[in-house]
Structures are given as C-alpha cells and as structure tokens.
Amino acid sequence: MRMSMASNHKTAQEPPAVPGKLASWWRRIDWIWLALVGGSVLTAWLGEHPQTEGLGQMVIGAVLILSAAKGLLIALSYMELLHAPAIWRNLVVGWLALVLGAIAAISLWP
Amino acid sequence: MVWLLVLAELLTFALLFLSFAFARRWQPDLFAQGQATLDIGHGLANTLALVAASACAAAAVRSHRAGASRAWHWWMGALLSALAFLGMKSLEFAERFNQGFDWAESSFNMLYFMLTGFHYLHVVVGALVFVAMILSARRGRFGPSSIRSPESAAVFWHMVDLLWMVLFPLVYIIR
C-alpha cells in the first residue's frame, strides 16, 4: 500500500521518464574529463596537422596555452585545490606557470 | 604529507623539463632528428589513458564520500587505464631498444629516456596504489568518515597526470 501511494506520488510529481534520464546522464558526465580529452586531441592535431607547420611560434604558443588550461583543470578540479588552503593552490599553480613560462621563453626567444 | 611528496616530484620534474628545453635550444638539429622518430598518435593515446585514470580516481573519491559500496569499480577503471598506459609505453620502449636505441648516445636520447622513464616509474607506483585501493575498498575500509587514503591516492595520480600535461607537448609536439 505504501509502495502504491509512493508510486502514485512519484507519477504526479516527477517529470517524464526520458527527460529525467537525460538530465541524470547530463549531470553524470565528467565535463573536466571531456575538456581534457578535447584539449589533448587539439594539442595532437596542432602538432601533427600539415596546415599548422608554417605557423611555427603561434602553434607553440597555442600548445602551451592548452597545456596550461589542462594543468589548471587537473590542479583546481581533480586535485581539489580550488577549495584547498591558498598556499598549496599557489604552489602548484605557480609551478605550472613558471615551468610553462620558462619553456615558452626558451622555445620562443628569437 | 602527500602534498610534500607532490611538491618534491614537481620540482624534480621541473629541472628535467627545463633541461630538455635548454638542450633543444642548443642542439636544435639533434633534437629535431630525435623528435621526428616519436609518434604523436602514441603520445595522444598515452594522454587519453592517463586522463581516463584521473577521471576514474576522482569518481572513486566522490563515491567513497557518498558512501557507495561499489566505489572500488572506479578504482578498477583507474587501474585498467594505468595498465593500458604502461602496456603502450612498454611496447614503445621495447620497439626503440630493438631498433638499437642507446640512451647514452646523445643528449636527446638521454633526456627523452630520463623524462619518459622516470614518469613511467611513477605510473607503476600509481598502479600499485590503485591495487591497494581496490583491495581496501572491497573490504569496506573507506567511507565518508575515512577518506584520507583515497584522497591521497587520487592526488598522487593527478600529479602524474599533471606532469604528463607538460611532458606531452614538450617532448612530442614542440619542435
């Protein structure tokens, strides 16, 4: 009886089944993972695609910016540094900025 | 405690990354020749395996926090992704050594082998940590109130992933 009442209540209150399932899947998608996959595929494409060969320094800059974006996503979201004490967040984000900045300077300096 | 380990590893790898960048600046022809032998497709496949493991490790921590009894499934996903990386990288190393690769032959070979080999060892450690997480999670040792070990394991793996996000473009892409 209680189950039946619960079932009736559920039918009356919840949205239709298919949009509900879609919304559930939408919430479950790991957007950070998707962004990392997309950024990595774009990085490889920039490195491999013949059309980008003549662009030289612009490609290097774009690849390093993508690397910084992916690193930030990992540090702030997966490592949960966004909500961690500022000292740890600053150390890891500072490391990323210094290393990528130094690689850019060494690689792009005329 | 795991954060001190993370910082030590980040500093060590920073020295190797900068050594690679400086050496390439001084010997562009040698490095262009060496990097031409690297397959960007392999590098991308390695990246996707590492990222998949990171996503699984993050999901495992969330599952433990929610008190889910099957959180170990996510650790298993992370382990399989790590093993996929190790399998691909092992084949790559074996192929190169079969072709007569000598790590002491040039500065490119030495730095390539040091960077990728040192990172490979970290993935091995990460995979062993995942095995420990699976065994402990199946015994029900983790939950919302005992989450420190899963969090530390995940942070270690995310660091391995973070390092690769610099290594991949530096070694495989920028030429």
Side-chain angles (χ1 to χ4, degrees), chain A residues 30 33 36 40-41 43-44 47 60 63-64 67 70-71 74 78-81 88 91 95 99 102-103 106-107 109-110, chain B residues 3 7 10 14 18 21-22 25 40 44 47 51-52 54-55 58 65 155 158 161-163 165-166 169-170 173-174:
Chain A
D30 186 338
W33 171 74
L36 291 172
S40 302
V41 170
T43 299
I60 293 175
V63 163
L64 289 174
S67 188
K70 289 185 289 177
I74 291 170
Y78 279 168
M79 293 174 107
E80 301 181 341
L81 283 170
W88 298 115
L91 282 170
W95 174 88
V99 168
I103 292 170
I106 295 165
S107 305
W109 200 264
Chain B
W3 288 104
L7 285 180
L10 291 180
L18 296 186
F22 270 119
R25 182 78 198 207
I40 293 177
L44 175 62
T47 308
V51 167
S54 256
R65 282 192 188 129
V155 162
H158 297 320
D161 200 6
L162 177 64
L163 291 170
M165 290 303 153
V166 179
L170 177 67
I173 305 290
I174 300 172

Side-chain angles (χ1 to χ4, degrees), chain B residues 107-161:
Chain B
S107 54
F108 170 80
N109 280 7
M110 190 177 70
L111 284 167
Y112 161 80
F113 189 65
M114 279 177 72
L115 265 174
T116 55
F118 196 33
H119 185 269
Y120 179 96
L121 289 178
H122 282 73
V123 177
V124 170
V125 172
L128 292 174
V129 169
F130 288 154
V131 171
M133 289 297 109
I134 291 167
L135 295 176
S136 296
R138 290 196 68 175
R139 288 176 190 146
R141 288 186 182 165
F142 305 134
S145 58
S146 51
I147 194 71
R148 186 166 286 186
S149 296
E151 282 179 345
S152 298
V155 162
F156 178 81
W157 183 266
H158 297 320
M159 175 204 70
V160 172
D161 200 6

